[in-house]
Amino acid sequence: QNSKYKYLCIEINFNKMKRILTLVFACLFATQIIAQEKNINAFISYGTFNITEEGTSPYLETYITFDCNSLMYVKEADQYQATVNLTVIFKQGESIKNYDKYSINSPKVSDTTNLNGFFMDFQRYSLANGEYQMEITIEDANNIGKMPFKVSESILIDFPESICFSSIIALEDYKPTTE
């Protein structure tokens, strides 16, 4: 009877050990998956501007700066490149007044081991005076399984008929394009 009890204890301990090891391996696997996913780091700002010429309307410019290190790069030919999908919607109530859906590519790099720097997207949207809800959705095209990053902000465009000030945007750097 004593030896039967020993086998029972060993069997119970073995089953406990199996559960513990399964849990440990599951946690390690989940940690590895989380470490491979990258959150998109993007900095969003905007400016509103007025044009005093007849037949034109005010417009809004969006400036979205992406951290190169937060995106997933894929190899194309002999270089790597990231692609970001963006959706920008301007609503008044439930009515969509302006929108855009597009993709932007990062600058190409030959090596992704030491990604540093940023790249920027700049867009203009014609909008009449009024209050809008701006919704921006950003998705890493090379990491589709990751939930998209969404931002929603109230925007007021209210330029009078007389002389007025538009937004002022500071210039960080500039250089001619090569394309």
Side-chain angles (χ1 to χ4, degrees):
Q1 182 171 352
N2 195 13
S3 67
K4 185 177 180 183
Y5 178 70
K6 286 181 184 177
Y7 288 125
L8 183 60
C9 287
I10 292 172
E11 187 176 321
I12 291 171
N13 288 337
F14 180 71
N15 285 336
K16 274 186 179 179
M17 183 64 78
K18 218 162 68 169
R19 282 189 218 135
I20 290 171
L21 285 175
T22 303
L23 182 63
V24 167
F25 284 122
C27 288
L28 287 173
F29 183 70
T31 303
Q32 182 66 22
I33 289 173
I34 291 169
Q36 290 177 353
E37 289 186 2
K38 294 182 175 183
N39 291 324
I40 298 174
N41 289 333
F43 308 96
I44 302 169
S45 62
Y46 64 90
T48 57
F49 301 92
N50 193 23
I51 301 175
T52 56
E53 295 176 14
E54 196 170 317
T56 61
S57 68
Y59 64 92
L60 180 135
E61 290 181 347
T62 59
Y63 313 100
I64 306 175
T65 304
F66 300 96
D67 180 354
C68 294
N69 198 34
S70 71
L71 300 170
M72 187 175 287
Y73 282 69
V74 295
K75 192 168 187 172
E76 295 178 11
D78 60 341
Q79 294 191 319
Y80 295 88
Q81 190 169 41
T83 302
V84 180
N85 297 328
L86 291 110
T87 304
V88 181
I89 301 172
F90 296 94
K91 291 181 177 180
Q92 282 184 322
E94 292 300 312
S95 177
I96 295 175
K97 297 299 183 179
N98 201 340
Y99 73 95
D100 199 5
K101 187 171 186 167
Y102 60 99
S103 296
I104 182 169
N105 293 320
S106 71
K108 292 181 180 180
V109 295
S110 58
D111 184 17
T112 60
T113 56
N114 192 17
L115 287 172
N116 289 318
F118 301 87
F119 66 97
M120 184 177 192
D121 177 53
F122 157 82
Q123 300 291 322
R124 281 188 179 161
Y125 301 95
S126 180
L127 295 166
N129 280 341
E131 191 170 332
Y132 298 89
Q133 192 66 30
M134 176 177 69
E135 297 174 2
I136 299 177
T137 303
I138 302 171
E139 181 180 41
D140 187 338
N142 300 323
N143 196 1
I144 297 295
K146 185 79 175 151
M147 291 293 291
F149 176 69
K150 296 183 179 187
V151 174
S152 183
E153 181 155 341
S154 293
I155 305 285
L156 177 63
I157 299 177
D158 187 22
F159 290 108
E161 294 294 322
S162 60
I163 295 177
C164 58
F165 288 100
S166 294
S167 294
I168 297 173
I169 303 297
L171 181 64
E172 179 184 335
D173 188 21
Y174 73 96
K175 59 185 173 184
T177 62
T178 57
E179 294 178 17

